[in-house]
């Protein structure tokens, strides 16, 4: 046989397109060429593959070798093609049987010793291989995460020699097994937060309906503590949600750890993060913080300290739940359905309204500080909560607040009502769906319209208030939204930043 075809995958955003690694051998002077739009890492695989074949005890053929990565117009990157290229050479030279190649897909980077190194995106590639009806052979480190894909056949290998022995029928590779799913995830407990009853209630509403939240208060009032407790209040992840979130994280630079299976992501980027770090990008598009927080929480502390352009890129994913990255050579789409929790001080010094009276900021300084956050972005945040300084009695209080477990039970109950009624969380309802499922009493509708008129609220604010009111009613188990829920939702909308 002078031609061998090995199946593999190339990553482009969340897509893992099929790549046929075609290896042809011809007579002539020894040469080794790789074509099909390979990146630098793929071109360098020639030396890795040659050394790995020789150190594994095989003969590297002294012939003219041409490797074509089809389709030719699809960019190929990373070292994941090392393993399929090596197998193609060994099959084409008759050193390894190729009868079963069509039943498998392969990906893995080769060390010079023939060892297999982990590759990025194993979980995302396995999802597509399952749809194609093929088993996937991956390095041991990548196979553990790939095995999380239900009904997928994943084989774990540590060396090139083991893969060859499997194809030759001498010793079969072991099936990769998903690591045991954690029954209890160690989220921080809400009971650790003292006082702040209004903020705790807002956090519960945010968890129940999937709403975004802005916390405003002086330093030390518990803003960061509250934000870090939100993942522990959210309902358990469904299988498709967990797989979706894990697939996105497997594409990131840090990869995905099987220990984090079903744990809600919590991302807290520093305020010096760039716009590309926030939404993703690069010559090889990778997910940013908004996508790595998919199905979880994105926490932005010291919100006004972020660059204005960085904050503005949050508008589209907050509204649509996806992020589209367009570059000259590549386009990619990543999911970005996260809950935004932001925190900020009320003024530049942070002590506006503090009982100590230590704030010396002028109204102009306060307005300039708050003006760093645009009105359109604030309009997309469902609730704005003001957190006062704790009193000495609250600080020294020995009584423990309500635990995350107790609050989570109410959140799960409210979310169950939403799924039964409309099939999604209240925060994801469109305007038409809100009209259908809102179920607003006549007096509540009139109150809401009056609030919109008096407070000069936008149409977006109108819908966001209605969604929050729907969640409050669901937490109470009420079928229809009453005037009381509307008034509470309006108050949660305008606290702290009346002009938002």
């Amino acid at each position: 046989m002078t031609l061998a075809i090995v199946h593999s995958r190339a990553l482009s955003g969340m897509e893992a397109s099929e790549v046929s690694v075609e290896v042809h051998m011809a007579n002539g002077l020894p040469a080794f060429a790789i074509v099909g739009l390979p990146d630098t890492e793929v071109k360098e695989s020639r030396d890795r593959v040659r050394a790995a074949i020789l150190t594994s005890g095989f003969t590297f053929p002294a012939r003219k070798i041409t490797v074509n990565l089809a389709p030719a117009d699809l960019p190929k990157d990373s070292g994941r093609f090392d393993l399929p290229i090596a197998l193609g050479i060994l099959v084409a030279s008759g050193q390894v049987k190729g009868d079963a190649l069509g039943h498998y897909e392969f990906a893995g980077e080769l060390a010079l010793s023939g060892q297999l190194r982990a590759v990025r995106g194993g979980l995302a590639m396995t999802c597509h291989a399952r749809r194609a009806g093929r088993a996937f052979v991956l390095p041991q480190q990548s196979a553990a995460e790939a095995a999380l894909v239900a009904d997928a056949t994943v084989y774990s290998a540590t060396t090139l020699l083991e893969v060859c022995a499997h194809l030759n029928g001498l010793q079969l590779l072991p099936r990769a097994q998903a690591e045991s799913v954690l029954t209890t995830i160690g989220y921080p407990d809400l009971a650790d937060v003292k006082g702040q009853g209004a903020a705790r209630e807002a956090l519960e509403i945010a968890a129940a309906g999937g709403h975004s939240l802005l916390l405003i208060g002086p330093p030390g009032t518990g803003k960061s503590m509250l934000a870090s407790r939100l993942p522990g209040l959210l309902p358990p992840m469904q299988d498709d949600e967990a797989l979706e979130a894990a697939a996105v994280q497997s594409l990131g630079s840090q990869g995905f750890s099987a220990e984090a299976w079903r744990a809600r992501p919590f991302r807290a980027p520093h305020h010096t993060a760039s716009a590309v770090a926030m939404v993703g990008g690069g010559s090889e598009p990778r997910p940013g913080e908004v996508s790595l927080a998919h199905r979880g929480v994105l926490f932005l502390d010291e919100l006004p300290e972020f660059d204005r352009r960085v904050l503005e890129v949050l508008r589209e994913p907050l509204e649509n739940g996806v992020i589209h990255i367009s570059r000259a050579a590549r386009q990619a789409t990543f999911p970005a359905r996260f809950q935004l929790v932001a925190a900020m001080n009320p003024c530049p010094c942070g002590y506006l309204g503090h009982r100590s009276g230590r704030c010396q900021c002028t109204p102009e300084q306060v307005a300039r500080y708050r003006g760093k956050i645009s009105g359109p972005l604030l309009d997309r945040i469902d609730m704005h909560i003001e957190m006062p300084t704790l009193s000495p009695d609250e600080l020294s209080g020995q009584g423990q607040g309500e635990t995350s477990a107790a609050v989570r039970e109410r959140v799960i109950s409210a979310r169950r009502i939403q799924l039964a009624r409309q099939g999604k969380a209240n925060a994801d309802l469109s305007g038409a769906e809100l009209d259908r499922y809102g179920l607003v009493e006549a007096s509540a509708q009139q109150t809401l319209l009056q609030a919109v008129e008096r407070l000069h609220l936008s149409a977006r604010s109108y819908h966001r208030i209605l969604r929050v009111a729907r969640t409050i009613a669901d937490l109470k188990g009420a079928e229809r939204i009453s005037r009381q829920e509307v008034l509470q939702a309006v108050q949660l909308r305008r606290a702290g930043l009346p002009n938002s």
Side-chain angles (χ1 to χ4, degrees), residues 219-403:
T221 52
K223 302 186 295 293
S224 299
M225 283 188 71
L226 273 172
S228 65
R229 269 99 184 132
L230 179 56
L233 304 182
L234 296 174
M237 297 181 78
Q238 302 298 320
D239 288 342
D240 56 339
E241 292 179 334
L243 188 60
E244 208 174 43
V248 175
Q249 292 177 49
S250 75
L251 299 173
S253 57
Q254 296 179 342
F256 171 73
S257 172
E259 297 176 356
W261 177 245
R262 292 188 181 276
R264 294 278 183 181
F266 181 81
R267 306 291 299 187
H270 193 261
H271 63 259
T272 56
S274 66
V276 172
M278 191 66 70
V279 300
S283 57
E284 173 197 345
R286 293 195 181 188
E289 293 292 338
V290 296
S291 296
L292 294 173
H294 182 61
R295 300 297 180 185
V297 177
L298 177 66
F299 176 49
L300 302 183
D301 200 6
E302 306 295 344
L303 187 66
E305 301 303 328
F306 281 83
D307 186 272
R308 178 73 172 255
R309 291 170 296 181
V310 175
L311 294 180
E312 294 309 301
V313 300
L314 296 174
R315 291 193 198 178
E316 289 83 0
L318 275 174
E319 201 75 22
N320 304 322
V322 295
I323 188 76
H324 302 284
I325 300 172
S326 296
R327 299 293 182 265
R330 302 194 192 184
Q331 292 77 41
T333 299
F334 294 104
R337 196 162 294 284
F338 59 91
Q339 280 189 251
L340 174 65
V341 180
M344 62 177 287
N345 295 326
C347 67
C349 78
Y351 292 97
L352 180 66
H354 196 275
R355 61 168 58 88
S356 65
R358 58 195 289 188
C359 178
Q360 301 297 320
C361 299
T362 64
E364 292 77 13
Q365 289 174 321
V366 174
R368 192 180 309 115
Y369 177 75
R370 296 188 175 186
K372 293 180 179 180
I373 310 170
S374 70
L377 177 60
L378 285 173
D379 207 31
R380 287 169 166 82
I381 300 178
D382 296 326
M383 294 179 284
H384 309 155
I385 308 301
E386 198 169 46
M387 296 178 62
T389 307
L390 295 177
S391 66
D393 291 338
E394 289 175 317
L395 283 172
S396 61
Q398 299 299 318
Q400 204 177 39
E402 198 172 18
T403 65

Side-chain angles (χ1 to χ4, degrees), residues 34-35 47 52-53 101 106 179 184 193 200 208 212 214 379 397 410 475 482 489:
I34 300 178
V35 298
D47 298 316
I53 288 177
L101 277 182
F106 303 86
E179 295 185 10
T184 303
V193 181
R200 291 168 66 104
S212 52
L214 173 61
D379 207 31
R410 296 197 295 270
L475 283 167
S482 69

Side-chain angles (χ1 to χ4, degrees), residues 152-174:
T153 304
V154 181
Y155 291 100
S156 171
T158 57
T159 65
L160 171 63
L161 200 57
E162 289 182 1
V163 180
C164 295
H166 179 87
L167 292 175
N168 285 331
L170 300 176
Q171 185 175 355
L172 298 182
L173 290 171

Side-chain angles (χ1 to χ4, degrees), residues 452-487:
V452 170
E453 178 69 24
R454 293 176 182 176
L455 300 175
H456 307 289
L457 299 176
S458 65
R460 180 182 290 112
S461 294
Y462 167 84
H463 285 116
R464 291 189 178 272
I465 288 173
L466 202 54
R467 293 188 186 104
V468 173
R470 180 66 268 174
T471 301
I472 297 172
D474 290 337
L475 283 167
K476 295 178 180 179
E479 182 179 354
R480 305 187 70 85
I481 301 174
S482 69
R483 184 172 180 271
Q484 182 180 358
E485 282 86 61
V486 167
L487 289 174

